[in-house]
């Protein structure tokens, strides 16, 4: 088994915890000491979360926005009753999507929270007003709702919400693309650079939601049916500072600086010169073949065929391309498998053996769709093995003989 791993194991991907990537006794360190050619990769989705977290730490004003969203989460998601139903029943399902924002989690969940608040802004204002004027509430509760109302009605908060909506929307798209099964490192690099350029462009040309917020601020302080009121006490987010911090941390956390990644980039035709020579990328191909125990001459012939006909798919390059596709971009596949295991091994099916759980997971992950399942042959095997409830063979019990009963008394 170990010899097979030496020949075929290409990549090990994990999150950035000390247990996994510790320099002295981390799992990756121990594996690379045993398998010298193993390529270790830090999950890009996890690095994306860390980049956003670093940007939040650098821009202190974002923490005020984060604290307010946490307050909404505590008010509506953690409460035993949902008081927004009376204010706007039609947006109740949207508001229930509010969760934690800008935490160490997938960016898509943070975006869903911001989108829910943006969509339900009118309902929030209406609810805070009714709660503030409710005479049955205590003075403390009424003051809490007054503070929430003053913040939601401010143009500063609306601009912050629009800025976070546009930024988190782009980051959530990137996060979901990185979690896709067929994505490769070259495709991930392309997606990352596109996202960085889009976020950087927001500094000069604001996104859609931020533009709507600025327009509402300049157009009579009115957004939809919400009358905006200036709140000088509110510390708003500086857009250019926040966007530049996001860009800097994305470039720092998700940069492709490893030599292997740069060598794999030779297969990206968009990076070729206008008139590449017939020996273009020869050194990179040789290093890759040496690293992954591939035939150097075969790969070079395939590369030359590709240079002669860029639209072709040389067979000689197929082993190298297949090796490149085995490089996992993130650990999202592992997370999906753990979620699948939890769906299979529920509380009511806790008696399943590990082998049975493994087989069921394999069928769900790699098996054909249900529409292509042919149960006839399995049913015949089941019937021939007398496993049905109506079979008399399955009901036969072994009766203890008199000799076996006497043997017990002899022991006593």
């Amino acid at each position: 088994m170990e010899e097979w791993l030496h020949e075929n194991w290409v990549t090990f991907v994990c999150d950035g915890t000390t247990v996994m990537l510790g320099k002295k006794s981390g799992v990756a360190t121990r594996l690379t000491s045993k398998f010298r050619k193993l390529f270790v990769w830090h999950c890009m989705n996890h690095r994306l979360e860390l980049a956003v977290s670093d940007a939040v730490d650098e821009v202190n004003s974002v923490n005020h926005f984060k604290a307010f969203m946490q307050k909404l989460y505590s008010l509506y998601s953690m409460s035993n009753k949902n008081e927004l139903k009376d204010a706007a029943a039609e947006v109740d399902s949207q508001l229930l999507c509010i969760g934690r924002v800008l935490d160490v989690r997938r960016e898509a969940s943070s975006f869903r929270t911001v989108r829910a608040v943006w969509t339900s802004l009118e309902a929030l204002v209406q609810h805070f007003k009714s709660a503030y004027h409710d005479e049955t509430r205590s003075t403390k509760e009424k003051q809490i709702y007054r503070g929430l109302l003053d913040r939601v009605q401010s143009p500063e908060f609306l601009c912050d919400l629009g800025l976070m909506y546009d930024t988190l929307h782009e980051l959530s798209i990137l996060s979901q693309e990185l979690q896709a099964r067929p994505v490769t490192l070259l495709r991930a690099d392309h997606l990352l650079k596109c996202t960085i350029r889009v976020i950087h462009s927001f500094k000069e040309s604001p996104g859609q939601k931020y533009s709507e917020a600025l327009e509402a601020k300049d157009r009579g302080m009115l957004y939809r049916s919400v009358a905006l009121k200036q709140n000088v006490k509110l510390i708003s987010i500086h857009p250019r500072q926040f966007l530049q911090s996001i860009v800097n941390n994305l470039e720092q956390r998700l940069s492709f600086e490893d030599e292997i990644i740069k060598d794999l980039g030779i297969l990206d035709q968009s990076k070729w010169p206008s008139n590449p020579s017939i020996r273009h990328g020869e050194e990179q191909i040789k290093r890759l073949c040496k690293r992954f125990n591939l035939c150097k001459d075969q790969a070079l012939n395939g590369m030359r065929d590709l240079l002669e006909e860029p639209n072709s798919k040389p067979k000689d390059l197929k082993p190298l391309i297949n090796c490149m596709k085995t490089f996992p971009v993130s650990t999202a596949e592992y997370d999906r498998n753990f979620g699948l295991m939890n769906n299979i091994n529920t509380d009511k099916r806790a008696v399943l053996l590990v082998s049975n759980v493994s087989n069921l997971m394999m069928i769900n992950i790699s098996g054909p769709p249900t529409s292509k399942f042919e149960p006839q042959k399995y049913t015949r095997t089941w019937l021939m093995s007398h496993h049905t409830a109506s079979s008399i063979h399955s009901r036969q019990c072994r009766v203890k003989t008199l000799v076996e009963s006497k043997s017990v008394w002899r022991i006593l």
Side-chain angles (χ1 to χ4, degrees):
M1 182 62 180
E2 190 170 326
E3 294 179 359
W4 185 89
L5 289 175
H6 274 287
E7 295 179 359
N8 298 280
W9 197 2
V10 177
T11 314
F12 174 74
V13 62
C14 61
D15 56 19
T17 58
T18 306
V19 175
M20 291 295 179
L21 294 179
K23 293 183 179 180
K24 293 184 178 180
S25 58
V27 175
T29 303
R30 294 188 177 186
L31 288 175
T32 51
S33 63
K34 199 170 188 178
F35 304 96
R36 297 291 182 180
K37 297 182 179 180
L38 187 64
F39 176 71
V40 177
W41 186 249
H42 184 184
C43 171
M44 289 191 67
N45 281 106
H46 188 252
R47 286 196 278 179
L48 178 60
E49 297 162 13
L50 294 176
V52 176
S53 178
D54 292 342
V56 172
D57 293 338
E58 290 179 3
V59 184
N60 295 328
S61 56
V62 180
N63 290 320
H64 297 276
F65 177 85
K66 180 180 178 181
F68 179 76
M69 300 298 287
Q70 178 65 28
K71 181 64 177 179
L72 291 182
Y73 169 69
S74 302
L75 185 63
Y76 292 112
S77 297
M78 299 176 65
S79 177
N80 293 328
K81 58 181 179 178
N82 189 359
E83 298 175 337
L84 191 63
K85 287 184 178 180
D86 298 334
E90 68 275 7
V91 294
D92 180 57
S93 60
Q94 281 286 343
L95 201 62
L96 289 177
C97 295
I98 290 180
R100 301 181 186 276
V101 67
L102 299 177
D103 205 350
V104 182
R105 56 179 61 235
R106 296 284 188 261
E107 276 59 42
S109 69
S110 295
F111 170 67
R112 285 193 297 267
T113 298
V114 173
R115 182 179 58 185
V117 176
W118 179 273
T119 305
S120 309
L121 189 63
E122 293 171 294
L124 283 170
V125 172
Q126 181 63 30
H127 171 58
F128 293 156
K129 283 182 178 180
S130 60
Y132 171 58
H133 295 291
D134 189 0
E135 297 298 333
T136 61
R137 298 180 183 273
S138 64
T139 306
K140 183 178 180 180
E141 283 184 316
K142 292 170 69 174
Q143 291 301 320
I144 290 175
Y145 282 106
R146 181 184 177 181
L148 295 174
L149 177 62
D150 291 341
R151 174 141 194 158
V152 170
Q153 281 187 307
S154 65
E156 293 83 4
F157 173 75
L158 185 64
C159 291
D160 291 349
L161 190 64
L163 176 64
M164 298 304 298
Y165 189 108
D166 295 329
T167 307
L168 290 176
H169 181 228
E170 295 297 329
L171 294 176
S172 67
I173 293 175
L174 175 62
S175 177
Q176 291 172 351
E177 289 284 348
L178 295 178
Q179 295 176 49
R181 285 191 174 98
V183 68
T184 62
L185 286 179
L186 296 182
R187 174 63 179 169
D189 184 34
H190 173 73
L191 293 171
L192 173 63
K193 292 179 179 178
C194 288
T195 302
I196 290 176
R197 289 199 298 269
V198 170
I199 294 177
H200 191 271
S201 68
F202 287 160
K203 295 172 60 177
E204 305 299 333
S205 177
Q208 179 183 356
K209 302 302 180 184
Y210 187 59
S211 298
E212 292 180 13
L214 292 176
E215 184 180 354
K217 183 179 179 181
D218 299 334
R219 191 193 57 215
M221 300 287 284
L222 182 67
Y223 176 72
R224 298 176 190 167
S225 61
V226 178
L228 303 178
K229 297 180 181 179
Q230 201 79 26
N231 190 344
V232 294
K233 295 182 179 180
L234 183 61
I235 303 176
S236 59
I237 302 173
H238 193 282
R240 297 180 66 88
Q241 181 187 9
F242 174 68
L243 293 172
Q244 187 60 47
S245 179
I246 289 287
V247 169
N248 293 340
N249 284 284
L250 286 177
E251 292 176 343
Q252 181 179 359
R253 286 280 188 179
L254 287 88
S255 60
F256 288 72
E257 297 179 353
D258 196 280
E259 185 183 43
I260 299 178
I261 307 300
K262 293 180 180 179
D263 289 344
L264 287 173
I266 199 62
L267 299 177
D268 187 1
Q269 298 184 21
S270 62
K271 298 180 180 179
W272 288 0
S274 56
N275 293 314
S277 65
I278 193 62
R279 298 184 61 189
H280 177 71
E282 190 174 281
E283 295 299 323
Q284 290 89 333
I285 296 295
K286 288 181 180 179
R287 284 197 295 266
L288 290 172
C289 292
K290 182 179 179 181
R291 177 67 182 267
F292 301 117
N293 295 325
L294 300 176
C295 180
K296 178 179 64 176
D297 295 335
Q298 179 184 0
L300 288 176
N301 289 333
M303 185 64 186
R304 290 164 185 169
D305 293 339
L306 184 63
L307 289 168
E308 290 290 331
E309 299 181 10
N311 296 326
S312 64
K313 296 181 179 179
K315 293 183 179 179
D316 292 337
L317 267 183
K318 191 173 181 180
L320 181 58
I321 294 175
N322 290 337
C323 183
M324 181 192 68
K325 290 180 179 180
T326 61
F327 281 46
V329 174
S330 73
T331 58
E333 188 68 29
Y334 306 151
D335 297 336
R336 281 192 286 263
N337 292 340
F338 278 117
L340 176 61
M341 183 174 63
N342 293 333
N343 293 337
I344 293 174
N345 194 15
T346 60
D347 295 338
K348 295 182 179 180
R349 304 177 69 187
V351 295
L352 286 174
L353 299 176
V354 175
S355 58
N356 292 339
V357 175
S358 177
N359 293 334
L360 290 172
M361 289 180 64
M362 180 62 68
I363 293 173
N364 277 273
I365 296 171
S366 304
T370 310
S371 59
K372 294 186 178 181
F373 176 66
E374 298 178 359
Q376 290 83 2
K377 57 181 180 181
Y378 301 101
T379 305
R380 295 193 195 98
T381 306
W382 184 267
L383 294 174
M384 293 175 62
S385 302
H386 308 292
H387 287 163
T388 60
S390 60
S391 177
I392 59 174
H393 298 280
S394 60
R395 296 184 177 184
Q396 290 181 353
C397 298
R398 185 167 176 262
V399 182
K400 292 184 179 180
T401 60
L402 184 61
V403 178
E404 291 176 342
S405 301
K406 289 182 178 180
S407 61
V408 178
W409 289 105
R410 288 173 184 173
I411 295 174
L412 297 176

